Amino acid sequence: MEKQYIQDLAAGYDRSLVLEDLMTTYGEDVWNFAFFLTRRADAADDISQDVFLIVFNRLYTFRGECSIKSWILSITRNKALNYLKSAFIRKVTLMDTMLHSSGQSPSAEQVVLDHLSSIAVWDHVMKLPLKFREVIILDYHFELPVSEIAAALQISEGTVKSRLHRAKKKMTVLLDREREGV
């Protein structure tokens, strides 16, 4: 797919059509990633808009060294980190409620149990420090390979593997505490 975008950017091609396709393909991923990093729906809305403005303005700078998805998620991460560093967010902390929908199951009871389990797991993910939360999200939710996570986060593959390992350990501890009723 990435080569197709590069070919589409030949002289005279309408960038707005490419952007529209990118927004359709990756818009939900961008919003979800921004939300997971900032924990705020309104911030995710703003960041998503900013990301696609940047993508539109820098479409010709995409070199194809990583996937287009990794490139866009990297821009999303940078915008989210800038948001988190802003003076406003340091002074004001608001939490929005995260809603999840579960997949279809054979029975109503199974649907409810799956939904509650999913919410519990993602609630614990949201409690992790940012550096662990982002690798978990990129790995499990977006299913990026370690090399692309490293490129998106601008860290080494070894650091990604280490953070994933540590994040999984922290998740295990959190989930075990919940099961024990602590």
Side-chain angles (χ1 to χ4, degrees):
M1 178 180 268
E2 286 74 31
K3 290 181 182 181
Q4 181 63 41
Y5 286 117
I6 293 170
Q7 291 170 353
D8 288 346
L9 296 177
Y13 195 83
D14 186 1
R15 284 188 310 167
S16 61
L17 293 175
V18 173
L19 179 66
E20 186 177 329
D21 184 49
L22 289 172
M23 289 174 67
T24 301
T25 305
Y26 301 111
E28 188 175 333
D29 289 342
V30 166
W31 190 92
N32 286 335
F33 191 42
F35 178 79
F36 283 129
L37 295 178
T38 64
R39 300 178 187 171
R40 295 193 52 179
D42 59 330
D45 291 341
D46 293 342
I47 289 167
S48 296
Q49 289 177 1
D50 289 347
V51 165
F52 285 109
L53 283 172
I54 290 169
V55 168
F56 181 78
N57 291 325
R58 298 184 185 164
L59 211 45
Y60 289 107
T61 66
F62 178 67
R63 296 176 296 220
E65 294 173 353
C66 61
S67 71
I68 194 92
K69 183 177 185 178
S70 294
W71 182 63
I72 291 172
L73 290 177
S74 178
I75 294 169
T76 305
R77 176 185 183 257
N78 291 336
K79 293 302 289 181
L81 292 179
N82 287 341
Y83 169 81
L84 291 171
K85 290 178 189 174
S86 73
F88 172 77
I89 195 63
R90 284 195 307 254
K91 292 178 183 172
V92 179
T93 305
L94 300 171
M95 287 293 288
D96 288 331
T97 305
M98 189 167 118
L99 299 173
H100 293 283
S101 61
S102 65
Q104 303 242 346
S105 293
S107 69
E109 294 84 6
Q110 190 61 46
V111 170
V112 171
L113 290 174
D114 289 347
H115 182 71
L116 292 174
S117 176
S118 176
I119 288 173
V121 169
W122 284 110
D123 282 346
H124 288 304
V125 169
M126 296 300 283
K127 292 175 186 174
L128 293 173
L130 179 63
K131 67 182 184 180
F132 298 129
R133 193 169 63 233
E134 63 189 1
V135 294
I136 288 278
I137 292 165
L138 290 171
D139 184 40
Y140 288 100
H141 184 73
F142 295 110
E143 299 177 348
L144 292 180
V146 170
S147 60
E148 290 189 19
I149 295 171
L153 302 181
Q154 300 172 349
I155 58 177
S156 72
E157 289 184 27
T159 302
V160 170
K161 290 176 186 176
S162 172
R163 286 183 184 177
L164 274 172
H165 178 75
R166 292 171 60 201
K168 289 174 187 176
K169 275 184 155 179
K170 288 182 179 288
M171 284 295 295
T172 300
V173 168
L174 289 171
L175 293 170
D176 284 347
R177 284 184 187 160
E178 182 178 291
R179 277 187 224 117
E180 294 170 1
V182 175

